[in-house]
Amino acid sequence: QLQLQESGPGLVKPSETLSLTCTVSGGSITSSDYYWAWLRQAPGKGLEWIGNIYNSGSTAFNPSLKSRVTMSVDASKNQLSLKLRSVTAADTAVYYCASTTTIVRGAIERWGQGVLVTVSS
Amino acid sequence: DIQMTQSPSFVSASVGDRVTITCRASQGIGTWLAWYQQKPGKAPNLLIYSASSLQSGVPSRFSGSGSGTAFTLTINTLQPDDFATYFCQQSSGFPFTFGQGTKLEIK
């Protein structure tokens, strides 16, 4: 069964870059069965879709974050990565990596456990 | 962006009750609608996709309906494990967006 695990610093300073990694097990990150997403949830708030990355390497980002986001895949390590530049306190959130398939039509089937990232000096 | 509005924001119910949560989209989304359950400190869990398809492993007391702009999640015969927060999510237009959540509390 597919499992996802996020990792990265829990504290990032304002104006710096947030960098997270998601390790995928139980399936290949290059499989055409899946595509991948990053989402976040600010404390006590709702969920925000950051973007998708497909097995072709193509990406789709939320316009509200597009200018600051990079997503990539490392097939050799079966990992996804997320970089968010020029962070502010508003970027404090639990960040999730996730997977979906065409079967569930854009719903998220598998979630990582999430990692809390706090932006503070 | 497509705005998703859930109602109510809070609902109080008892074990054994039937509960209905509504989600409205700011424009038509066909049946590109999913429902999730989230418990404190945990990632959301997919319950329903395509507005009415039950995700594998989800109890049959959960059901979804609707199309276009109006959708409902119904939970029949509430169990203690069902007290949580529920979100809807549209995947018709990018960026995919979520409702603000409905917290289901024990009466």
Side-chain angles (χ1 to χ4, degrees), chain B:
Chain B
D1 296 4
I2 298 174
Q3 305 301 315
M4 306 300 293
T5 304
Q6 285 181 236
S7 60
S9 296
F10 297 91
V11 58
S12 181
S14 301
V15 172
D17 285 353
R18 177 183 181 183
V19 168
T20 297
I21 299 168
T22 297
C23 181
R24 292 191 180 275
S26 60
Q27 63 189 71
I29 59 170
T31 57
W32 295 82
L33 192 283
W35 290 97
Y36 301 86
Q37 178 192 70
Q38 186 177 33
K39 295 184 178 179
K42 300 293 187 182
N45 180 50
L46 178 63
L47 301 173
I48 302 284
Y49 63 94
S50 295
S52 60
S53 296
L54 192 68
Q55 173 68 346
S56 176
V58 174
S60 59
R61 63 181 180 273
F62 292 92
S63 64
S65 64
S67 66
T69 61
F71 303 85
T72 59
L73 172 70
T74 300
I75 313 171
N76 287 301
T77 317
L78 273 173
Q79 299 299 302
D81 191 50
D82 299 339
F83 292 95
T85 299
Y86 293 84
F87 293 95
C88 60
Q89 174 238 321
Q90 67 81 21
S91 53
S92 172
F94 204 81
F96 301 160
T97 48
F98 292 84
Q100 80 281 10
T102 296
K103 187 172 184 180
L104 174 55
E105 300 176 319
I106 300 175
K107 185 181 288 185

Side-chain angles (χ1 to χ4, degrees), chain A residues 12-16 18 40 68 84-93 95 117-120:
Chain A
V12 180
K13 290 183 168 56
S15 79
E16 295 190 345
L18 178 161
R40 68 182 184 178
R68 299 193 290 131
L84 182 65
R85 296 177 291 278
S86 304
V87 297
T88 69
D91 295 309
T92 294
Y95 285 76
V117 179
T118 301
V119 178
S120 175

Side-chain angles (χ1 to χ4, degrees), chain A residues 4-118:
Chain A
L4 300 89
Q5 176 73 59
E6 304 89 348
S7 59
L11 182 64
V12 180
K13 290 183 168 56
S15 79
E16 295 190 345
T17 297
L18 178 161
S19 295
L20 296 176
T21 298
C22 174
T23 301
V24 177
S25 58
S28 171
I29 205 163
T30 59
S31 170
S32 59
D33 292 337
Y34 310 110
Y35 65 94
W36 312 98
W38 287 93
L39 302 93
R40 68 182 184 178
Q41 187 171 30
K45 302 295 185 183
L47 290 148
E48 181 178 30
W49 206 288
I50 300 172
N52 292 345
I53 184 164
Y54 303 90
N55 62 353
S56 64
S58 64
T59 53
F61 300 138
N62 190 324
S64 68
L65 298 168
K66 186 176 182 178
S67 64
R68 299 193 290 131
V69 172
T70 303
M71 291 182 188
S72 61
V73 168
D74 185 336
S76 67
K77 296 181 179 178
N78 227 36
Q79 290 179 335
L80 309 165
S81 72
L82 170 71
K83 294 187 187 297
L84 182 65
R85 296 177 291 278
S86 304
V87 297
T88 69
D91 295 309
T92 294
V94 175
Y95 285 76
Y96 294 101
C97 65
S99 71
T100 185
T101 68
T102 55
I103 293 172
V104 293
R105 301 174 76 207
I108 295 292
E109 279 191 304
R110 290 275 183 268
W111 299 73
Q113 66 183 28
V115 59
L116 174 63
V117 179
T118 301

